[in-house]
Amino acid sequence: MKTISENRCFGGVQGVYSHASQATGTDMTFGLFLPAGAEDGPVPLLWYLSGLTCTHENAMVKAGAQRWAAEAGIALIFPDTSPRGEEVADDAAYDLGKGAGFYVNATENPWAPHFRMWDYITRDLPELVFKAFPLEEGLQAITGHSMGGHGALTIAMSFPGRFSSVSAFAPIASPTSSDWGRKQFTAYLGEDESTWAQHDSSLLMKRRGFDGPVLIDQGGSDQFLDLLKPEALAGAMAERRQGGSFRMQKGYDHSYFFVSSFIEDHIAFHVDALRG
């Protein structure tokens, strides 16, 4: 692992690091905020998964999360959204290829050699950071925005007991029935739609649910509502009687202005679950 930068931030340290990933076969970059309390021992960790076109940097500099994490005494991790490098396949469209890993393990060429973001987020990166930093492996929570909200929800429901809580900002809620999903799943996973269901949070919610609290915030003026399909996830939560909250925030769009407006709520939500 290499240290790219470390900056003092709200009494803690905001670092950026790179490492060779076994999952993707490439060098990967991530951001990690450690609060001041990490100097005295392991602290809880909140994962933040970002959306289409993002790198590790977007949420790290735009969400305004470090202030609230510092006050709560928790760490924040900001992974990248896809493998990078000249050898990595890409596409001219913004919603496929680099910056658009969709948190799945690709099985189709030319994506299969490197686009293994499911393994990267659930196995590769955790194995690294829990060895290298003062983080409490038994105290984890997860959140994300848009494509990252999709990833946070599907990962949380697929690893019972790993995360105390899950939240999402404007998640891609029904990718198997949306152009934000069907296009990418066909490219990454192939034509067999039976393999897609494990990466659809609305379907997982109906079938499996989450063994903890759930918080979803969706902007009522989001320009991508027809692609996100929030009604599918809200309906699945109601059908399963899932404990949690689904909030439509009037007038908010899909931007980081929306995320930064409610990030304090989400961190407080996760802190309550972690302490509980």
Side-chain angles (χ1 to χ4, degrees):
M1 187 178 68
K2 298 178 181 179
T3 299
I4 296 175
S5 63
E6 289 184 332
N7 297 95
R8 203 69 178 167
C9 181
F10 293 104
V13 175
Q14 175 62 66
V16 177
Y17 309 93
S18 67
H19 69 109
S21 167
Q22 291 185 348
T24 67
T26 66
D27 286 343
M28 296 292 290
T29 302
F30 66 94
L32 179 69
F33 171 74
L34 290 173
E39 297 176 4
D40 301 319
V43 295
L45 176 64
L46 175 60
W47 292 78
Y48 185 105
L49 305 187
S50 292
L52 287 166
T53 75
C54 292
T55 68
H56 70 281
E57 190 175 33
N58 294 72
M60 190 178 79
V61 299
K62 293 181 179 180
Q66 291 90 339
R67 173 184 175 182
W68 310 113
E71 290 186 5
I74 67 170
L76 301 168
I77 190 164
F78 306 98
D80 203 348
T81 57
S82 77
R84 310 280 176 175
E86 292 183 2
E87 74 278 17
V88 176
D90 201 9
D91 190 270
Y94 75 94
D95 58 356
L96 188 68
K98 294 177 184 178
F102 260 76
Y103 304 101
V104 301
N105 285 341
T107 58
E108 305 298 304
N109 288 323
W111 315 104
H114 301 296
F115 278 76
R116 303 190 62 81
M117 291 302 294
W118 181 271
D119 281 353
Y120 178 70
I121 296 297
T122 65
R123 186 188 67 199
D124 200 14
L125 187 54
E127 288 178 358
L128 173 73
V129 297
F130 286 114
K131 290 178 181 177
F133 298 98
L135 302 168
E136 182 57 66
E137 190 169 1
L139 292 174
Q140 298 182 65
I142 190 167
T143 188
H145 173 230
S146 193
M147 180 185 72
H150 139 78
L153 288 164
T154 56
I155 288 170
M157 286 186 278
S158 298
F159 289 86
R162 179 179 294 195
F163 302 100
S164 64
S165 47
V166 61
S167 72
F169 300 86
I172 300 175
S174 184
T176 60
S177 63
S178 168
D179 287 343
W180 271 359
R182 294 190 63 84
K183 171 185 176 179
Q184 294 81 6
F185 289 176
T186 300
Y188 296 146
L189 303 176
E191 300 283 349
D192 183 358
E193 296 188 18
S194 67
T195 66
W196 300 0
Q198 63 185 312
H199 297 293
D200 186 306
S201 61
S202 296
L203 297 178
L204 283 174
M205 181 62 69
K206 288 181 180 180
R207 187 172 79 240
R208 188 179 297 168
F210 179 66
D211 56 346
V214 177
L215 173 62
I216 311 295
D217 271 318
Q218 172 62 62
S221 296
D222 194 312
Q223 59 271 45
F224 302 115
L225 276 175
D226 290 342
L227 291 166
L228 300 170
K229 298 187 179 295
E231 65 280 359
L233 181 58
M237 289 176 66
E239 182 177 327
R240 188 173 180 83
R241 300 178 181 176
Q242 170 72 47
S245 300
F246 193 110
R247 310 189 304 190
M248 292 293 294
Q249 302 290 0
K250 184 178 180 180
Y252 285 88
D253 59 17
H254 199 70
S255 70
Y256 266 93
F257 295 110
F258 161 60
V259 173
S260 61
S261 296
F262 298 101
I263 193 68
E264 179 185 4
D265 285 0
H266 283 244
I267 290 178
F269 162 79
H270 289 295
V271 169
D272 283 348
L274 288 163
R275 289 177 176 167

